[in-house]
Amino acid sequence: MLALLFGVALVGLGLDILTKVLVVAELEGEPPVEVLGGLLYLDVLRNPGAAFSLATGLTWLLALLAIAVVGVIIWLAPKLRSPGWAIGLGLVLGGACGNLVDRIFRAPGPLQGHVVDFLSLLAPGGAVWPVFNIADSCIVVGGVLVVLLSLMGRDYDGTVHRKKKAAGNES
């Protein structure tokens, strides 16, 4: 499970870094690029906050939160026995690390860096949905997977919990 967890995290982190390097080099300062007939726009923005531009001005706190998330996942990693959880947590880990790289290494400085966002749905500039990046997508998909597994009674350690029938309904 460790190989799956860290493999998924490395793929997510690698894709995030690669796409951010490419869009900054090729598209920053340029008008938005329409893709898929307007379903998606490539529109480079620097986000000092969290999702939906929340917590703007608290970049250092968001960086510390990401470090804590990474720490918890690494602490939990040896206990993983579920492939689904390994994939979900790997996506969250890769996404958290992707945005953390921006917060550490991008301007204006360490633990204050602005995250590069560049994917805008249906309209440029986040007019319909906030502009996001690959790391954000990894975090959301991984989080949804972990929640679904939890709702299905599947734990990270491989155990499965089934709802017990009500006492009056047993046959």
Side-chain angles (χ1 to χ4, degrees):
M1 291 305 125
L2 289 176
L4 182 59
L5 170 81
F6 291 114
V8 168
L10 284 173
V11 168
L13 175 61
L15 285 172
D16 183 64
I17 290 172
L18 176 65
T19 55
K20 287 175 180 174
V21 166
L22 288 172
V23 299
V24 166
E26 300 296 325
L27 299 176
E28 191 163 46
E30 300 292 328
V33 175
E34 182 180 311
V35 181
L36 301 172
L39 181 63
L40 180 69
Y41 288 82
L42 302 178
D43 190 7
V44 183
L45 302 173
R46 302 289 180 124
N47 184 358
F52 304 101
S53 292
L54 298 173
T56 300
L58 295 175
T59 304
W60 62 273
L61 181 61
L62 296 170
L64 294 178
L65 180 62
I67 291 168
V69 167
V70 169
V72 167
I73 292 173
I74 290 172
W75 173 80
L76 190 61
K79 300 172 181 78
L80 282 175
R81 301 289 177 269
S82 163
W85 272 83
I87 292 168
L89 290 178
L91 286 167
V92 172
L93 179 61
C97 287
N99 284 337
L100 185 58
V101 165
D102 281 2
R103 296 196 190 285
I104 292 172
F105 296 108
R106 293 199 186 270
L111 296 182
Q112 298 175 17
H114 297 180
V115 172
V116 174
D117 289 331
F118 60 92
L119 299 169
S120 186
L121 296 176
L122 305 175
V128 175
W129 186 258
V131 182
F132 59 99
N133 58 41
I134 301 298
D136 298 334
S137 299
C138 287
I139 292 167
V140 169
V141 171
V144 167
L145 179 56
V146 165
V147 167
L148 286 175
L149 288 168
S150 294
L151 290 173
M152 292 174 13
R154 300 184 182 280
D155 286 342
Y156 66 91
D157 62 0
T159 58
V160 177
H161 302 281
R162 304 214 187 273
K163 290 184 181 177
K164 296 186 180 187
K165 293 181 181 179
N169 292 339
E170 290 182 29
S171 335

Short mmCIF file of all heavy atoms in Angstrom, two decimals, residues 20-48:
data_model
loop_
_atom_site.label_atom_id
_atom_site.label_comp_id
_atom_site.label_asym_id
_atom_site.label_seq_id
_atom_site.Cartn_x
_atom_site.Cartn_y
_atom_site.Cartn_z
N LYS A 20 2.07 23.62 -14.03
CA LYS A 20 2.28 25.00 -13.55
C LYS A 20 3.50 25.63 -14.23
O LYS A 20 3.45 26.80 -14.62
CB LYS A 20 2.45 25.02 -12.04
CG LYS A 20 1.15 24.79 -11.29
CD LYS A 20 1.39 24.70 -9.79
CE LYS A 20 0.10 24.48 -9.03
NZ LYS A 20 0.35 24.25 -7.58
N VAL A 21 4.57 24.86 -14.39
CA VAL A 21 5.75 25.39 -15.07
C VAL A 21 5.40 25.76 -16.51
O VAL A 21 5.77 26.83 -17.00
CB VAL A 21 6.91 24.36 -15.03
CG1 VAL A 21 8.02 24.72 -16.00
CG2 VAL A 21 7.47 24.25 -13.61
N LEU A 22 4.66 24.89 -17.19
CA LEU A 22 4.28 25.14 -18.58
C LEU A 22 3.37 26.36 -18.72
O LEU A 22 3.61 27.22 -19.58
CB LEU A 22 3.62 23.92 -19.20
CG LEU A 22 4.53 22.73 -19.49
CD1 LEU A 22 3.71 21.52 -19.92
CD2 LEU A 22 5.57 23.09 -20.53
N VAL A 23 2.33 26.45 -17.89
CA VAL A 23 1.41 27.58 -18.05
C VAL A 23 2.05 28.90 -17.66
O VAL A 23 1.78 29.92 -18.28
CB VAL A 23 0.06 27.38 -17.33
CG1 VAL A 23 -0.68 26.17 -17.85
CG2 VAL A 23 0.21 27.32 -15.83
N VAL A 24 2.93 28.90 -16.66
CA VAL A 24 3.61 30.14 -16.29
C VAL A 24 4.54 30.57 -17.43
O VAL A 24 4.57 31.74 -17.82
CB VAL A 24 4.38 29.99 -14.96
CG1 VAL A 24 5.35 31.14 -14.74
CG2 VAL A 24 3.39 29.91 -13.80
N ALA A 25 5.26 29.62 -18.00
CA ALA A 25 6.21 29.94 -19.08
C ALA A 25 5.50 30.37 -20.37
O ALA A 25 5.97 31.27 -21.06
CB ALA A 25 7.11 28.74 -19.36
N GLU A 26 4.38 29.74 -20.68
CA GLU A 26 3.74 29.96 -21.97
C GLU A 26 2.52 30.87 -21.94
O GLU A 26 2.21 31.50 -22.95
CB GLU A 26 3.33 28.61 -22.59
CG GLU A 26 4.49 27.65 -22.82
CD GLU A 26 5.49 28.17 -23.83
OE1 GLU A 26 5.09 28.83 -24.81
OE2 GLU A 26 6.70 27.90 -23.65
N LEU A 27 1.81 30.93 -20.81
CA LEU A 27 0.51 31.61 -20.82
C LEU A 27 0.39 32.79 -19.86
O LEU A 27 -0.56 33.57 -19.99
CB LEU A 27 -0.60 30.60 -20.49
CG LEU A 27 -0.75 29.43 -21.46
CD1 LEU A 27 -1.82 28.47 -20.98
CD2 LEU A 27 -1.07 29.93 -22.86
N GLU A 28 1.30 32.93 -18.91
CA GLU A 28 1.17 34.04 -17.97
C GLU A 28 1.29 35.37 -18.71
O GLU A 28 2.18 35.56 -19.52
CB GLU A 28 2.20 33.95 -16.85
CG GLU A 28 1.91 34.92 -15.72
CD GLU A 28 2.64 34.58 -14.44
OE1 GLU A 28 3.84 34.28 -14.50
OE2 GLU A 28 1.99 34.62 -13.39
N GLY A 29 0.38 36.27 -18.41
CA GLY A 29 0.37 37.57 -19.07
C GLY A 29 -0.34 37.56 -20.41
O GLY A 29 -0.49 38.60 -21.05
N GLU A 30 -0.79 36.41 -20.85
CA GLU A 30 -1.50 36.26 -22.12
C GLU A 30 -3.01 36.19 -21.85
O GLU A 30 -3.44 35.86 -20.75
CB GLU A 30 -1.06 34.98 -22.84
CG GLU A 30 0.42 34.94 -23.18
CD GLU A 30 0.82 35.97 -24.24
OE1 GLU A 30 -0.02 36.27 -25.11
OE2 GLU A 30 1.95 36.47 -24.16
N PRO A 31 -3.83 36.49 -22.87
CA PRO A 31 -5.27 36.33 -22.68
C PRO A 31 -5.64 34.86 -22.48
O PRO A 31 -4.89 33.97 -22.91
CB PRO A 31 -5.87 36.87 -23.98
CG PRO A 31 -4.76 37.00 -24.94
CD PRO A 31 -3.47 37.00 -24.19
N PRO A 32 -6.76 34.59 -21.83
CA PRO A 32 -7.18 33.20 -21.60
C PRO A 32 -7.29 32.42 -22.91
O PRO A 32 -7.66 32.98 -23.95
CB PRO A 32 -8.55 33.34 -20.94
CG PRO A 32 -8.55 34.71 -20.36
CD PRO A 32 -7.70 35.55 -21.27
N VAL A 33 -6.98 31.13 -22.84
CA VAL A 33 -7.06 30.24 -24.00
C VAL A 33 -8.29 29.36 -23.84
O VAL A 33 -8.44 28.65 -22.84
CB VAL A 33 -5.79 29.37 -24.11
CG1 VAL A 33 -5.92 28.38 -25.26
CG2 VAL A 33 -4.55 30.24 -24.26
N GLU A 34 -9.17 29.42 -24.85
CA GLU A 34 -10.38 28.60 -24.83
C GLU A 34 -10.03 27.18 -25.26
O GLU A 34 -9.34 26.97 -26.26
CB GLU A 34 -11.42 29.19 -25.78
CG GLU A 34 -12.72 28.44 -25.80
CD GLU A 34 -13.73 29.06 -26.76
OE1 GLU A 34 -13.93 30.29 -26.70
OE2 GLU A 34 -14.29 28.30 -27.56
N VAL A 35 -10.51 26.19 -24.50
CA VAL A 35 -10.26 24.78 -24.79
C VAL A 35 -11.60 24.05 -24.76
O VAL A 35 -12.50 24.42 -23.98
CB VAL A 35 -9.30 24.16 -23.74
CG1 VAL A 35 -9.01 22.70 -24.03
CG2 VAL A 35 -8.00 24.95 -23.65
N LEU A 36 -11.74 23.04 -25.58
CA LEU A 36 -12.95 22.21 -25.61
C LEU A 36 -14.21 23.03 -25.86
O LEU A 36 -15.23 22.86 -25.18
CB LEU A 36 -13.08 21.40 -24.31
CG LEU A 36 -11.92 20.45 -23.98
CD1 LEU A 36 -12.10 19.88 -22.58
CD2 LEU A 36 -11.82 19.34 -25.02
N GLY A 37 -14.12 23.95 -26.80
CA GLY A 37 -15.29 24.75 -27.18
C GLY A 37 -15.83 25.64 -26.07
O GLY A 37 -17.02 25.92 -26.04
N GLY A 38 -14.99 26.06 -25.17
CA GLY A 38 -15.42 26.95 -24.09
C GLY A 38 -15.78 26.23 -22.80
O GLY A 38 -16.17 26.86 -21.82
N LEU A 39 -15.66 24.91 -22.79
CA LEU A 39 -15.90 24.16 -21.56
C LEU A 39 -14.82 24.48 -20.52
O LEU A 39 -15.08 24.52 -19.33
CB LEU A 39 -15.94 22.66 -21.86
CG LEU A 39 -16.21 21.73 -20.69
CD1 LEU A 39 -17.60 21.99 -20.11
CD2 LEU A 39 -16.09 20.28 -21.10
N LEU A 40 -13.62 24.74 -21.03
CA LEU A 40 -12.47 25.00 -20.16
C LEU A 40 -11.66 26.16 -20.74
O LEU A 40 -11.54 26.29 -21.95
CB LEU A 40 -11.60 23.74 -20.07
CG LEU A 40 -10.35 23.80 -19.21
CD1 LEU A 40 -10.73 23.88 -17.73
CD2 LEU A 40 -9.50 22.57 -19.46
N TYR A 41 -11.14 26.98 -19.85
CA TYR A 41 -10.24 28.06 -20.25
C TYR A 41 -8.95 27.93 -19.46
O TYR A 41 -8.98 27.61 -18.26
CB TYR A 41 -10.87 29.44 -19.98
CG TYR A 41 -12.00 29.78 -20.91
CD1 TYR A 41 -13.26 29.29 -20.68
CD2 TYR A 41 -11.77 30.57 -22.03
CE1 TYR A 41 -14.31 29.58 -21.54
CE2 TYR A 41 -12.81 30.87 -22.90
CZ TYR A 41 -14.07 30.37 -22.65
OH TYR A 41 -15.09 30.67 -23.52
N LEU A 42 -7.83 28.15 -20.13
CA LEU A 42 -6.54 28.23 -19.46
C LEU A 42 -6.29 29.70 -19.17
O LEU A 42 -6.12 30.50 -20.09
CB LEU A 42 -5.44 27.64 -20.34
CG LEU A 42 -5.64 26.18 -20.76
CD1 LEU A 42 -4.50 25.72 -21.66
CD2 LEU A 42 -5.79 25.27 -19.56
N ASP A 43 -6.31 30.05 -17.90
CA ASP A 43 -6.27 31.45 -17.48
C ASP A 43 -5.42 31.52 -16.21
O ASP A 43 -5.87 31.14 -15.13
CB ASP A 43 -7.69 31.93 -17.22
CG ASP A 43 -7.78 33.43 -17.02
OD1 ASP A 43 -6.77 34.13 -17.21
OD2 ASP A 43 -8.88 33.89 -16.67
N VAL A 44 -4.19 32.00 -16.32
CA VAL A 44 -3.24 31.97 -15.22
C VAL A 44 -3.52 33.07 -14.20
O VAL A 44 -3.56 34.26 -14.54
CB VAL A 44 -1.79 32.10 -15.74
CG1 VAL A 44 -0.80 32.00 -14.59
CG2 VAL A 44 -1.50 31.04 -16.79
N LEU A 45 -3.73 32.65 -12.96
CA LEU A 45 -3.93 33.57 -11.84
C LEU A 45 -3.03 33.14 -10.69
O LEU A 45 -2.74 31.95 -10.54
CB LEU A 45 -5.39 33.55 -11.38
CG LEU A 45 -6.45 33.91 -12.41
CD1 LEU A 45 -7.84 33.67 -11.83
CD2 LEU A 45 -6.32 35.36 -12.83
N ARG A 46 -2.65 34.09 -9.85
CA ARG A 46 -1.88 33.78 -8.63
C ARG A 46 -2.82 33.94 -7.45
O ARG A 46 -3.40 35.00 -7.25
CB ARG A 46 -0.68 34.72 -8.49
CG ARG A 46 0.30 34.70 -9.65
CD ARG A 46 1.07 33.40 -9.69
NE ARG A 46 2.01 33.38 -10.80
CZ ARG A 46 3.31 33.18 -10.65
NH1 ARG A 46 3.84 32.99 -9.47
NH2 ARG A 46 4.08 33.15 -11.72
N ASN A 47 -2.98 32.89 -6.67
CA ASN A 47 -3.94 32.87 -5.56
C ASN A 47 -3.21 32.86 -4.22
O ASN A 47 -2.56 31.89 -3.87
CB ASN A 47 -4.82 31.63 -5.68
CG ASN A 47 -5.90 31.57 -4.63
OD1 ASN A 47 -6.00 32.42 -3.76
ND2 ASN A 47 -6.72 30.54 -4.70
N PRO A 48 -3.33 33.96 -3.44
CA PRO A 48 -2.70 34.00 -2.13
C PRO A 48 -3.53 33.30 -1.05
O PRO A 48 -3.09 33.17 0.09
CB PRO A 48 -2.60 35.50 -1.84
CG PRO A 48 -3.76 36.08 -2.55
CD PRO A 48 -3.95 35.23 -3.80
#
